[in-house]
Structure formats: structure tokens, C-alpha cells
Amino acid sequence: MEETLFTKIRDGKIPSVKLYEDNECFVIMDINPVVKGHCLVIAARPYKNIGSCPLSTLNHMMEICKKMDAKLREALHCDGTNILVNNDPASGQEVPHLHIHVIPRYLTDGRTFGFVHDKYEEGEMVKLGEIIKLG
Ligand code: AMP
């Protein structure tokens, strides 16, 4: 199987602060935190993105995110969290090995993800909705 930065961390070839590990995923602290306590829930196997990861693994990773969210609130007294995936390079993914960011947030932390919002033309949103609706 392909080696990535995160498989090297998983195997202890690169040091990390590991917070949890099981057969499906592991959790480390992000070395460059957006907010201190920022951690990464990483698939044990190097799936590149959400599309290539089995649903059972995704479900399990989300369960671990829920536990990390509770832990960050309890231990760091954060007011909320951002839980997000950069899904392929076009979305900003730098490490091509599926991971979920769990970032503690405080009402006073002043961080922003800097969303720049677009605007739809008249009727465009409904038309696009027809194209991307599920089922
Ligand atoms: P992404 O841009 O979604 O691929 O996120 C990759 C994340 O991995 C970034 O937030 C980095 O700060 C983090 N990162 C990179 N190298 C390391 C490392 N050696 N230990 C822990 N986190 C890392």
C-alpha cells in the first residue's frame, strides 16, 4: 500500500502526539493548529478522499470525531468546533490521505475560514438544484 506522511506517522517513522488509535483510524494533534488543540482523525489506510473510503470507516471516523468534540469541550472548555474535510487538492487538501480536522473554537478566538460568498443569478439556484439533487 502507498506510503504517505500519515502512514509514516501511523507507523511511528515520524513523531507525533497520538491521542487515539484503533484498526480503522487514529487521531493526532495537528502540528500547525488553526486553534491550539486542533487534531486530525486519520483513516488507518491511505484512502485519498471521501469517495474512495468505505462507508463503515467513514461512519467510524465520524464517531471518533464526536468523541473528540466532546473531549475538547470538556478539557479545553471550547465553545464549539469546526469539523471538516478538505476533499482533494481543489479544496485545499495538502496530504492526500483522508483525514478529518477537529478544531476547537472559542467565541473570542477571532479566527475565520474566510468564506467568500458567491451570488446566484435569478433562477440559477433552482436550475442547479435540479442537476445536483440526490435520488
Ligand atoms: P489538509 O490541508 O487538509 O491536507 O491538512 C493537512 C494537515 O496536516 C495540516 O493542517 C497540517 O498542519 C498537518 N500536518 C502536516 N504535517 C504534520 C505533522 N508532521 N504532524 C501533524 N500534523 C501535520
Side-chain angles (χ1 to χ4, degrees):
M1 227 177 213
E2 192 190 334
E3 203 171 52
T4 68
L5 172 67
F6 290 154
T7 61
K8 288 181 193 160
I9 287 178
R10 179 198 65 197
D11 297 341
K13 295 178 185 162
I14 293 175
S16 69
V17 174
K18 222 172 242 179
L19 306 178
Y20 176 78
E21 185 159 31
D22 63 28
N23 286 334
E24 292 297 318
C25 71
F26 60 104
V27 184
I28 62 168
M29 296 189 73
D30 193 303
I31 204 165
N32 294 308
V34 172
V35 175
K36 288 176 184 174
H38 180 169
C39 55
L40 303 171
V41 177
I42 304 171
R45 284 170 284 282
Y47 307 112
K48 280 198 165 52
N49 54 26
I50 286 194
S52 57
C53 182
L55 194 52
S56 57
T57 302
L58 281 176
N59 284 339
H60 179 66
M61 289 171 74
M62 196 47 78
E63 195 179 324
I64 300 303
C65 286
K66 187 174 159 81
K67 287 186 177 168
M68 275 315 310
D69 168 70
K71 185 71 186 190
L72 292 171
R73 287 170 194 261
E74 175 203 318
L76 303 184
H77 308 291
C78 60
D79 302 306
T81 56
N82 287 108
I83 298 178
L84 62 94
V85 177
N86 294 323
N87 196 31
D88 282 326
S91 67
Q93 185 181 9
E94 288 177 0
V95 182
H97 177 151
L98 179 65
H99 53 284
I100 307 176
H101 296 258
V102 183
I103 306 170
R105 297 300 306 272
Y106 301 86
L107 291 169
T108 53
D109 65 34
R111 297 292 191 281
T112 166
F113 285 95
F115 280 141
V116 178
H117 294 275
D118 206 347
K119 284 251 180 289
Y120 287 113
E121 301 297 330
E122 181 72 32
E124 190 184 3
M125 187 169 78
V126 172
K127 237 163 113 181
L128 191 60
E130 283 300 320
I131 295 169
I132 63 175
K133 79 177 170 196
L134 296 177

